[in-house]
């Protein structure tokens, strides 16, 4: 398998900061070029870490920029940070996405009765190691939760790094409660309340907040992988009046977005220019006490 490394542009906590993905020194798209399956027969998938555990900066794959670097989300011109809702600090898992997946915003899911959120499939990696932005982890799938985020289906897949000491004991969703008691309940609470400090209402879950098992999760992953295949091949539009996705890639031959390394757009990607992180406003460290939280 390719050796994936991050290419850092600028300083973290700035509008200019980007984290590109390199495979053996060449830029690739983490959305389109990294295979979803590291070893399909063994049930091992690749995930991209966007937000390391215990951090607050809402880093995410840019669906619109060429080759889809990770950047910090912006709201009203300001960098977006997830607030700390007591007793949680930042994200409580390594949070990221599965490559080669897409939650199609035109597809209504039969059970959640809501359309996809137009993003790669979200992943919560529950192992003990803290990851880093741009890290490619090999993970096994344990279960899935269906957040209904402002009317859209926003699946959250629960996974564990295959190298984690507990990985051999974690094989399905009930194993998580057995070996990591309280984590599923805390995950439910985290997603329900994390937008409340920003003046948003509490989020709701489909299935009464229940985490579905590995089999169900695997079906959703395959659905989203197929949706991505339609996107990358041009069967589904990458550009509509409501969104404009970059499908530039270097590995999917026959895709309308397939790009060669001598293409001017490919060669214009900036070289590594990493800098020390910029300071963060101290208010980001504040704890918010949410009265509706059922701890």
């Amino acid at each position: 398998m390719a050796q994936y490394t991050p290419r850092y542009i600028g300083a973290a906590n700035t509008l200019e900061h980007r984290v590109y993905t390199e495979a053996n020194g060449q830029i690739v798209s983490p959305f389109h070029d990294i295979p979803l399956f590291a070893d399909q027969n063994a049930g091992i998938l690749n995930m991209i870490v966007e937000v390391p555990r215990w951090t607050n900066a809402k880093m995410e794959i840019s669906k619109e920029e060429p080759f889809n670097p990770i950047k910090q989300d912006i709201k009203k011109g300001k960098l977006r940070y997830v607030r700390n809702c007591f007793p949680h600090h930042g994200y409580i898992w390594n949070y990221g996405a599965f490559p080669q997946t897409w939650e199609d915003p035109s597809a209504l899911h039969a059970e959640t009765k809501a359309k996809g959120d137009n993003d790669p499939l979200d992943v919560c990696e529950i192992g003990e190691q803290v990851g880093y932005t741009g890290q490619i982890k090999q993970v096994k799938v344990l279960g899935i939760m269906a957040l209904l985020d402002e009317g859209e289906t926003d699946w959250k897949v629960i996974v564990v790094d295959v190298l984690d000491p507990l990985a051999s004991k974690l094989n399905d969703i009930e194993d998580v409660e057995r070996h990591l008691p309280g984590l599923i309940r805390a995950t439910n609470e985290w997603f329900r309340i994390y937008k409340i400090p920003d003046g948003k209402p509490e989020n709701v879950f489909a299935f009464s907040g229940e985490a579905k098992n590995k089999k169900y999760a695997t079906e959703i992953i395959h659905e989203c992988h197929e949706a991505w295949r339609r996107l990358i091949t041009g069967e589904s539009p990458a550009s509509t009046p409501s969104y404009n996705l970059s499908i530039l890639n270097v590995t999917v031959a026959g895709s309308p977005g397939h790009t060669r390394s001598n293409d001017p757009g490919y060669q214009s990607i900036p070289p590594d220019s990493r800098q020390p992180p910029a300071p963060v406003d101290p208010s980001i460290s504040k704890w918010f006490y949410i009265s509706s939280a059922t701890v």
Side-chain angles (χ1 to χ4, degrees):
M1 194 169 67
Q3 288 296 307
Y4 296 107
T5 51
R7 179 187 294 187
Y8 298 105
I9 310 300
N13 308 309
T14 67
L15 294 168
E16 298 74 34
H17 182 53
R18 298 289 185 276
V19 182
Y20 284 90
T21 303
E22 294 182 0
N24 304 325
Q26 300 294 308
I27 289 291
V28 298
S29 162
F31 190 0
H32 307 305
D33 288 318
I34 297 173
L36 172 60
F37 296 101
D39 183 340
Q40 188 162 5
N41 291 334
I44 299 172
L45 284 68
N46 288 312
M47 79 165 277
I48 303 109
V49 176
E50 296 167 311
V51 187
R53 187 168 78 236
W54 295 326
T55 65
N56 300 73
K58 193 168 191 330
M59 305 294 292
E60 55 187 26
I61 291 171
S62 170
K63 299 167 300 186
E64 297 79 19
E65 294 184 18
F67 297 98
N68 314 107
I70 299 170
K71 66 173 189 175
Q72 193 167 346
D73 192 25
I74 298 166
K75 278 279 163 72
K76 298 179 181 171
K78 290 190 169 183
L79 293 169
R80 189 170 163 206
Y81 294 87
V82 162
R83 313 299 273 186
N84 299 309
C85 295
F86 184 85
H88 309 299
H89 177 224
Y91 286 68
I92 60 172
W93 348 255
N94 294 307
Y95 188 71
F98 279 136
Q100 298 188 339
T101 61
W102 182 50
E103 294 193 54
D104 185 344
S106 71
L108 191 74
H109 190 267
E111 292 188 79
T112 66
K113 310 286 192 293
K115 292 181 177 179
D117 72 349
N118 194 27
D119 281 331
L121 203 47
D122 291 326
V123 183
C124 302
E125 192 278 310
I126 62 175
E128 65 180 42
Q129 289 291 318
V130 175
Y132 56 86
T133 300
Q135 182 180 16
I136 310 303
K137 281 179 173 282
Q138 283 70 55
V139 301
K140 55 198 281 194
V141 174
L142 304 174
I144 193 167
M145 303 172 86
L147 185 68
L148 300 176
D149 193 347
E150 299 180 28
E152 296 173 328
T153 305
D154 190 4
W155 297 103
K156 307 296 180 187
V157 187
I158 311 297
V159 307
V160 67
D161 190 322
V162 294
L163 300 177
D164 191 80
L166 277 179
S168 63
K169 294 179 176 164
L170 298 174
N171 296 297
D172 214 321
I173 197 67
E174 63 268 15
D175 299 326
V176 179
E177 185 58 32
R178 185 176 304 125
H179 295 286
L180 303 168
L183 180 60
I184 296 298
R185 188 183 62 189
T187 296
N188 177 301
E189 178 187 271
W190 195 97
F191 281 116
R192 279 194 296 107
I193 68 177
Y194 82 105
K195 289 187 175 180
I196 291 177
D198 296 322
K200 296 275 183 73
E202 187 172 299
N203 279 322
V204 295
F205 278 95
F207 314 120
S208 307
E210 174 197 1
K212 295 290 201 179
N213 65 11
K214 177 178 186 166
K215 180 176 182 290
Y216 194 100
T218 302
E219 290 170 4
I220 298 298
I221 292 165
H222 282 281
E223 281 177 22
C224 292
H225 186 44
E226 172 59 21
W228 167 82
R229 187 199 62 76
R230 293 193 299 269
L231 174 70
I232 201 71
T233 57
E235 288 178 40
S236 295
S239 185
T240 73
S242 56
Y243 61 83
N244 185 20
L245 309 180
S246 170
I247 57 169
L248 294 182
N249 68 84
V250 294
T251 59
V252 189
S255 161
H258 188 251
T259 305
R260 302 194 184 282
S261 57
N262 59 0
D263 182 275
Y266 186 79
Q267 295 187 326
S268 67
I269 298 168
D272 195 297
S273 59
R274 65 187 71 195
Q275 296 170 17
V280 176
D281 188 312
S283 69
I284 301 304
S285 299
K286 179 179 175 181
W287 242 339
F288 288 82
Y289 297 83
I290 310 294
S291 62
S292 66
T294 49
V295 180

